[in-house]
Amino acid sequence: MDDDGTRGVRGSSADRVPGPALPPPPTTPPRVPAPAVGPRPAATPVEQRPTRPGSASPAEQPVPGAPVDAWLRTPRPPQEPGVWRYGYTPPPPEEPEGVSNRSLLVGALISLLSALLLWSLWRNGYLPYRLVPLKLFTPGEWWNPGTSGGPRTIEGSDALTVYEAILFGLLAYGCGRIGNFSELFRRHVADRGQPFLALAAAAAAGLTQLLVWKEALPVVRPVLVLVASVAGGEIYQSQTVVNVIYAVIAAAVLYPFARLGRWRELIAARRGTAVPAPDGTATAPAAATSADQWPELRTAGWTDAADTLTAEVRTGRMNDVDVARLRHAWALATRRPDRLAPLAEAVLRTGGAAALHPSGHRDLPRRGARHDVLTGQVRIGRCADDPHNPYVRRGTGLALEPALLGTSLLAVGPPGAGKTARLIRPVVEALALRALAGQAAVLAVGGAGAPLGPDDAFDVVVRLGHPGSAHDIDLYGGTTDPDEAAAVLAEGLVGDVGSLDSRRAATVLAQLLGPYRAAHGHFPSVPELRELLDGTPAALAGLRASLEAAGHHAMLRELDARSRQAGGPGDPAPALADRVALLDRPAFTGFFATGPDARPFSLRALGQHPLRVRVDLPERGHAEASRLLTRLLLAQFTAITAARTDTTLFACLVLDDATHAVTAETVRGIRRLRSVNAGAVLALRTVDDVPETLHTPLLGAVGCTAAFSGITTWDGKRFAEAWGKEWVETREVAQHTVFADQPFTRALHALRKLVTGKAVTTDAVTVRQVERERWSASELAYAVPAGHAVIRLATVEGEHAPPLLVHLDG
């Protein structure tokens, strides 16, 4: 190129000074290497939180048959109550509410057009005093006189070239900041990921290189001027030096686009090599002794046992239940040092089959929910992307565990809402797995045919009223104390009768149970108890004769007191007899036996052994008897668990239908469960299935509540009151009509109203902090979609989570 040194020198002065002889630029722009493209490598299956609320979540636990060692090494960081901890990753920081895409694009376009206009005015000399800042810092002999006078010498021409390049850089930076081009690039280019990001960056790099070498962008000439001023103009006599300078300019222009397009990461990913994260964070090194190497055994010195279990894990001969069971057994053995050696010997002898459950089972026949046996969690759903849910909980899995069930759970929803399939069944399944690990005992009570699990998933299955049932239920809870048996039995028989004092009913039963046990050595069967409550002369005479023959004078006084009170006003015996008559039916013949040959199942065993028990009630043909038995089992469970001294096992009662089973005494018993490592799960169709006087005490006694879709506004009101209120920020916008005083302004307003059809208004915004219900009764009744529930959780330590809208997929 030969332009007499005047290329790029613009101004109004006619007497220009030729610039230094510079090497001509290449005729074509240097080639820009395109990023390598190829098939993307398969991602490692690691549990991740969805990148945005509402997106589908990947697998959150190993697939069936996955290595147990990988399952063991998966992190489970402590989180808020109810968070599915397996492989949990924290969400990205919540982004502030940004501008819309339309506003972003319009702002960027206006900023770009304004910058182009300013640069055009500058290059054509239409901006006054444009050279004044440069003349203040350069010698005066370099310039022609006047504020608009151009350069007089070669040095002034060079200074003007560099000055224009600096101003162009500042203009480009300001345009990018004002137009928010970084946000535009992030939304529409970077968020699309690879390879689109790399290809877009390569295209932008090619266009920029073309503009640079065509000198549409002031880059090449200023660099050449600076190099000549530092090293002298003679340096350009060498073509090699010129080529090196051109290559450096091309690389410098290319480098920012390579960083933006992340070409290095893309190429490394195609080659399968690791690249450090762009933010400089490095992957944390693995622990010296990972969880699959049983560090607790190695620390205690049992290296051989740890090596045996490590080999069992890595060869696939152990499952997750075995790992949880052996860890629990080792934790118990450390409290009793005399048990450490036998446990270690059993591990060396049988490997993962050591410390087996009494049933000999190492897993359930099949699982219908996602479990993490190591933490005892069962995943029942995913928190919805809803404004009611906190941002950090949206898209996360929701799980239940013993720390939550220890506060008891109340689930309310109409039939078909999914209480049994999506909540009760997963909870029973999780407790059964925990029982196989030796850490829990579960009693599941439901109607015959309720999907609580297959028979081979339980140790004891009681089918009341079914002739093929191999087990029976002890009406007296396995106790030998007549007063204790009378109190529990009275609660089960007439605890739902508000007009009858259950303490008087317990006194009546104790006056009969005590003498009968003293005379016969066991409590009466159902037909015998019914006769005694009815006051049959033959039954009472026979009992009196037996007591007199055995010399039980104290029991004779009890029987005499019962005879004196019989038939008096307010005598609860007739009501008790009527309720006992519900169990004295042909369908229950052979059940509830109490003789020396009877072997009924007693709930007292739940506090001593990790049992899995299921009770099937005959709800279809004997609905009232089923409710009575449910109430009796609940009363027995609360009484037995509260009286046990060893609270190592977590005991839980699950009632698939708790209609008319809750009484004032059982509510007090439920409140005491959390202090004895026990809990209850109650399912109701409506809160009205509980006496109205117990609505508030019941909701206050349980720590976890679940309102399923389809509940009524009356039920929603009770939940809304129980969950309380929170402070929220509200914005009120009031529109006021603008009245113009000037004729020209009124004309503009009239024209605007003619075009838009609306009067000119101004908005007045008021921001206030108000206290509102977390969920209103109407929202619970009408805003909860099908297959969802609003669940509030609390732990036995006192931690709690706000009510969350959950999509149930248990």
Side-chain angles (χ1 to χ4, degrees):
M1 179 185 68
D2 188 7
D3 54 1
D4 296 331
T6 61
R7 183 177 182 89
V9 181
R10 301 183 183 276
S12 58
S13 178
D15 49 348
R16 295 293 179 187
V17 178
L22 299 178
T27 55
T28 58
R31 297 186 60 185
V32 180
V37 294
R40 299 182 65 182
T44 304
V46 178
E47 193 273 337
Q48 296 287 339
R49 171 190 168 92
T51 56
R52 60 182 184 277
S55 60
S57 175
E60 293 176 313
Q61 71 171 11
V63 296
V68 180
D69 54 350
W71 171 79
L72 265 174
R73 290 193 300 267
T74 303
R76 297 167 175 84
Q79 293 297 323
E80 296 179 1
V83 175
W84 175 250
R85 294 167 50 193
Y86 179 85
Y88 175 82
T89 54
E94 185 176 8
E95 297 181 357
E97 185 176 354
V99 297
S100 62
N101 289 332
R102 179 180 178 180
S103 300
L104 193 64
L105 290 172
V106 171
L109 181 60
I110 293 175
S111 175
L112 180 62
L113 294 177
S114 301
L116 292 176
L117 176 61
L118 285 175
W119 183 244
S120 177
L121 294 175
W122 167 269
R123 294 295 299 268
N124 290 281
Y126 292 113
L127 295 180
Y129 310 105
R130 62 191 186 94
L131 298 180
V132 171
L134 180 60
K135 292 181 179 181
L136 292 176
F137 296 95
T138 55
E141 59 269 15
W142 289 6
W143 309 96
N144 293 318
T147 57
S148 60
R152 175 185 298 177
T153 64
I154 296 177
E155 291 81 0
S157 178
D158 293 343
L160 180 58
T161 300
V162 177
Y163 180 57
E164 286 184 345
I166 294 174
L167 290 181
F168 179 81
L170 294 176
L171 181 62
Y173 177 78
C175 173
R177 294 285 295 180
I178 297 175
N180 205 359
F181 278 86
S182 60
E183 178 66 15
L184 187 66
F185 174 81
R186 185 190 66 81
R187 287 192 189 182
H188 298 282
V189 180
D191 285 353
R192 296 192 179 187
Q194 299 288 14
F196 180 83
L197 174 61
L199 294 176
L207 177 61
T208 305
Q209 291 278 6
L210 180 63
L211 295 177
V212 166
W213 296 109
K214 292 294 184 181
E215 295 196 3
L217 301 179
V219 176
V220 177
R221 186 175 181 84
V223 172
L224 296 177
V225 169
L226 290 175
V227 173
S229 63
V230 173
E234 297 80 4
I235 193 174
Y236 295 127
Q237 295 179 359
S238 173
Q239 187 62 36
T240 302
V241 174
V242 173
N243 293 336
V244 170
I245 295 176
Y246 286 155
V248 171
I249 295 175
V253 174
L254 187 65
Y255 178 74
F257 296 97
R259 290 292 302 271
L260 288 175
R262 301 176 184 175
W263 296 349
R264 183 185 176 191
E265 299 175 25
L266 181 64
I267 295 173
R270 295 298 186 267
R271 293 178 178 177
T273 58
V275 176
D279 57 356
T281 58
T283 305
T289 304
S290 56
D292 62 319
Q293 296 179 347
W294 301 85
E296 60 271 17
L297 273 70
R298 298 183 188 277
T299 304
W302 299 96
T303 308
D304 294 340
D307 291 339
T308 300
L309 293 179
T310 301
E312 292 270 311
V313 168
R314 295 185 175 178
T315 55
R317 293 195 295 268
M318 288 181 64
N319 58 18
D320 53 354
V321 178
D322 295 332
V323 173
R325 185 186 68 252
L326 289 173
R327 282 196 167 190
H328 178 68
W330 182 261
L332 293 180
T334 54
R335 304 176 189 174
R336 299 278 300 273
D338 56 317
R339 296 183 180 180
L340 289 176
L343 178 60
E345 293 175 1
V347 169
L348 293 174
R349 184 174 62 256
T350 60
L356 270 182
H357 185 264
S359 65
H361 297 163
R362 300 173 64 177
D363 200 354
L364 296 179
R366 57 182 175 273
R367 303 185 187 183
R370 284 178 281 186
H371 301 271
D372 184 20
V373 187
L374 204 60
T375 59
Q377 287 190 318
V378 53
R379 190 181 187 277
I380 63 171
R382 175 177 53 83
C383 295
D385 180 17
D386 188 87
H388 287 91
N389 293 343
Y391 171 78
V392 295
R393 298 302 297 268
R394 298 175 190 174
T396 61
L398 189 83
L400 296 177
E401 56 183 310
L404 300 172
L405 298 178
T407 64
S408 298
L409 185 148
L410 176 66
V412 179
K419 300 189 300 298
T420 301
R422 300 182 179 183
L423 180 64
I424 301 299
R425 170 73 182 266
V427 168
V428 173
E429 198 173 84
L431 293 172
L433 287 172
R434 202 160 181 82
L436 291 178
Q439 305 175 45
V442 56
L443 171 62
V445 181
L452 300 180
D455 292 351
D456 48 0
F458 296 91
D459 303 312
V460 176
V461 178
V462 181
R463 295 186 178 90
L464 292 175
H466 192 284
S469 178
H471 299 277
D472 194 0
I473 284 291
D474 187 355
L475 288 180
Y476 306 99
T479 183
T480 58
D481 185 359
D483 293 327
E484 180 181 352
V488 175
L489 186 58
E491 195 65 33
L493 291 177
V494 294
D496 61 328
V497 182
S499 60
L500 188 61
D501 188 359
S502 59
R503 290 175 296 181
R504 292 193 60 187
T507 301
V508 171
L509 288 172
Q511 291 173 344
L512 295 174
L513 296 181
Y516 191 94
R517 179 170 178 79
H520 301 283
H522 58 82
F523 291 119
S525 61
V526 169
E528 294 169 334
L529 179 60
R530 180 184 180 184
E531 291 180 353
L532 293 174
L533 290 172
D534 282 333
T536 305
L540 293 176
L543 179 57
R544 183 181 300 275
S546 300
L547 292 174
E548 291 175 350
H552 295 290
H553 301 289
M555 294 302 170
L556 280 173
R557 289 196 298 270
E558 287 285 300
L559 191 59
D560 291 339
R562 171 85 288 271
S563 300
R564 289 193 301 270
Q565 297 170 4
D571 182 18
L576 291 170
D578 291 341
R579 290 299 178 87
V580 172
L582 296 173
L583 303 179
D584 189 18
R585 304 297 301 165
F588 299 115
T589 302
F591 286 88
F592 317 119
T594 59
D597 298 332
R599 294 293 184 269
F601 171 75
S602 172
L603 266 64
R604 199 168 296 272
L606 290 174
Q608 304 170 0
H609 307 286
L611 292 176
R612 302 166 295 165
V613 184
R614 193 189 76 203
V615 178
D616 294 344
L617 301 175
E619 289 185 345
R620 294 183 179 179
H622 303 274
E624 193 62 32
S626 297
R627 294 175 181 175
L628 186 153
L629 292 171
T630 302
R631 192 164 52 248
L632 177 62
L633 292 174
L634 178 57
Q636 287 186 0
F637 180 81
T638 55
I640 292 172
T641 52
R644 61 177 182 161
T645 57
D646 184 7
T647 59
T648 304
L649 284 176
F650 175 73
C652 189
L653 169 67
V654 181
L655 298 182
D656 184 48
D657 184 5
T659 303
H660 300 296
V662 179
T663 63
E665 185 61 32
T666 54
V667 168
R668 287 188 286 268
I670 289 173
R671 189 178 291 111
R672 293 190 297 263
L673 291 179
R674 67 178 65 191
S675 62
V676 293
N677 196 23
V681 179
L682 312 177
L684 295 172
R685 295 182 177 89
T686 173
V687 181
D688 289 332
D689 289 339
V690 177
E692 186 176 359
T693 56
L694 297 179
H695 290 174
T696 301
L698 177 61
L699 289 172
V702 297
C704 304
T705 49
F708 283 71
S709 61
I711 65 172
T712 63
T713 53
W714 292 275
D715 288 343
K717 180 181 178 181
R718 298 181 181 98
F719 280 110
E721 292 175 351
W723 292 339
K725 300 180 179 180
E726 63 179 347
W727 289 98
V728 297
E729 184 180 276
T730 61
R731 296 171 59 90
E732 297 180 357
V733 181
Q735 292 185 339
H736 303 283
T737 304
V738 178
F739 297 96
D741 297 330
Q742 301 299 325
F744 180 72
T745 307
R746 287 199 298 269
L748 290 179
H749 287 187
L751 178 62
R752 180 176 175 181
K753 184 176 181 180
L754 180 63
V755 174
T756 62
K758 297 181 181 179
V760 179
T761 59
T762 182
D763 293 340
V765 181
T766 304
V767 180
R768 296 188 303 172
Q769 291 283 339
V770 297
E771 193 177 22
R772 288 184 177 177
E773 294 175 332
R774 300 178 185 271
W775 281 84
S776 67
S778 299
E779 289 175 330
L780 289 173
Y782 302 110
V784 179
H788 290 66
V790 181
I791 301 179
R792 186 255 186 187
L793 300 175
T795 65
V796 292
E797 290 83 8
E799 298 182 54
H800 59 86
L804 302 171
L805 179 63
V806 181
H807 175 252
L808 300 171
D809 56 6

